[in-house]
């Protein structure tokens, strides 16, 4: 699989790659009625989103995408720029400042070092710096530096083949965080590609959103319980 262009999140005046999500319904252009299509093999999902924290609020700052739609909407009074002649994507929104209602965790990373040779994904273990950000209804409620934990996991999976490295790393992340940490593009993109074929109508997208948000309650309870045990240990 070709390396995928990652989504990015700007945090503490630096750009980070978004490597994992706990709640699959973080963002999709379908929220605006836009049906993205594949750019090329480097972007199967058909868009790149640039997220930003404004205060503690999570917003979509910029968005680039491809689509077969004849028209694209005005969002937050922002018109899309036609950029199909100057890059891979068809359109770009600048300074959207669109607030998200996201509830869940994100893993963001930078200082790429590589180590697994896993094409197509952006795993946390291939970065020196990794943060965990926790949100409730779009507001940041906590963040943690997980770089040391990731360094430990990286050492444990070193030397494993591709499949075993994925399985081992994900077991660690599932145990520690309650969600997979081996890259949202490794598993989320495949889901979105299937979703495009199977759930074009908005009612199906709404079902996906409700299910994802319902899963969060169970996830949050598990995280709290795990961290209570960690403090007692």
């Amino acid at each position: 699989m070709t390396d995928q262009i990652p989504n990015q999140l700007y945090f503490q005046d630096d750009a980070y790659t978004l490597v994992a999500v706990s709640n699959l319904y973080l963002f999709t252009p379908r929220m605006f009625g836009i049906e993205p299509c594949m750019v090329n093999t480097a972007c199967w999902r058909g868009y790149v989103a640039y997220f930003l924290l404004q205060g503690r609020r999570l917003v979509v700052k910029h968005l680039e995408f491809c689509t077969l739609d004849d028209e694209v909407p005005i969002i937050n009074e922002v018109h899309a720029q036609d950029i199909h002649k100057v890059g891979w994507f068809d359109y770009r929104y600048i300074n959207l400042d669109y607030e998200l209602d996201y509830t869940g965790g994100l893993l963001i990373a930078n200082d790429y070092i590589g180590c697994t040779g896993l094409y197509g994904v952006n795993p946390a273990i291939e970065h020196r710096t990794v943060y965990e950000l926790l949100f409730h209804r779009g507001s940041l409620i906590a963040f943690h530096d997980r770089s040391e934990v990731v360094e430990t996991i990286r050492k444990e999976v070193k030397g494993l083949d591709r499949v075993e490295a994925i399985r081992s790393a994900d077991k660690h992340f599932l145990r520690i965080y309650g969600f997979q940490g081996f890259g949202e593009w490794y598993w989320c993109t495949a889901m979105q590609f299937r979703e495009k074929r199977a759930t074009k109508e908005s009612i199906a997208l709404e079902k996906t959103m409700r299910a994802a948000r319902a899963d969060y309650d169970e996830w949050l309870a598990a995280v709290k319980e795990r961290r209570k045990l960690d403090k007692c240990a």
Side-chain angles (χ1 to χ4, degrees):
M1 183 179 179
T2 307
D3 284 346
Q4 296 297 291
I5 304 171
N7 288 340
Q8 292 188 355
L9 190 149
Y10 293 93
F11 178 65
Q12 296 183 339
D13 298 322
D14 207 351
Y16 289 81
T17 296
L18 179 59
V19 295
V21 297
S22 69
N23 183 339
L24 296 183
Y25 198 85
L26 168 63
F27 172 76
T28 170
R30 296 181 184 89
M31 295 167 65
F32 306 132
I34 299 169
E35 186 66 34
C37 65
M38 185 183 75
V39 179
N40 56 38
T41 56
C43 192
W44 284 91
R45 65 190 180 280
Y47 68 91
V48 175
Y50 299 85
F51 303 97
L52 177 71
L53 282 174
Q54 290 185 339
R56 288 186 170 271
R57 293 295 303 176
L58 180 64
V59 304
V60 181
K61 187 66 175 177
H62 310 308
L63 175 65
E64 298 179 335
F65 62 95
C66 280
T67 184
L68 297 178
D69 296 343
D70 295 328
E71 297 181 354
V72 294
I74 300 172
I75 304 171
N76 271 6
E77 301 183 350
V78 177
H79 293 260
Q81 302 173 3
D82 188 335
I83 59 171
H84 77 277
K85 293 183 178 180
V86 295
W88 283 354
F89 298 95
D90 295 332
Y91 296 98
R92 174 191 293 147
Y93 289 102
I94 298 293
N95 294 324
L96 271 178
D97 296 333
Y98 183 85
E99 293 191 0
L100 296 173
D101 192 34
Y102 180 72
T103 294
L106 304 178
L107 286 185
I108 59 174
N110 66 12
D111 299 328
Y112 179 79
I113 57 175
C115 69
T116 63
L118 291 168
Y119 299 107
V121 300
N122 297 284
I125 61 170
E126 291 194 345
H127 300 78
R128 283 195 178 93
T129 304
V130 179
Y131 283 96
E132 177 194 24
L133 280 60
L134 299 177
F135 294 88
H136 181 67
R137 300 300 300 270
S139 293
L140 181 69
I141 57 175
F143 68 90
H144 309 280
D145 188 340
R146 302 303 187 189
S147 304
E148 290 186 6
V149 174
V150 171
E151 172 65 20
T152 300
I153 295 173
R154 181 163 51 245
K155 290 178 180 178
E156 293 189 16
V157 303
K158 186 176 181 180
L160 298 178
D161 64 29
R162 175 182 290 188
V163 175
E164 288 304 315
I166 292 174
R167 290 174 177 171
S168 181
D170 271 347
K171 285 179 181 178
H172 286 294
F173 277 105
L174 284 165
R175 173 173 53 82
I176 297 169
Y177 302 119
F179 61 95
Q180 290 175 302
F182 220 85
E184 65 168 317
W185 314 135
Y186 184 75
W187 45 283
C188 286
T189 301
M191 184 204 74
Q192 291 177 349
F193 189 66
R194 290 194 300 271
E195 173 192 314
K196 179 178 178 180
R197 295 179 302 185
T199 63
K200 279 191 173 183
E201 297 182 1
S202 60
I203 187 170
L205 187 57
E206 287 297 319
K207 288 177 63 178
T208 302
M209 182 176 69
R210 287 197 298 270
R213 288 179 177 173
D215 288 343
Y216 176 71
D217 289 335
E218 182 178 350
W219 171 80
L220 182 59
V223 169
K224 289 181 176 179
E225 182 63 27
R226 194 160 39 247
R227 289 177 179 170
K228 285 182 182 178
L229 294 176
D230 290 341
K231 289 181 180 179
C232 294

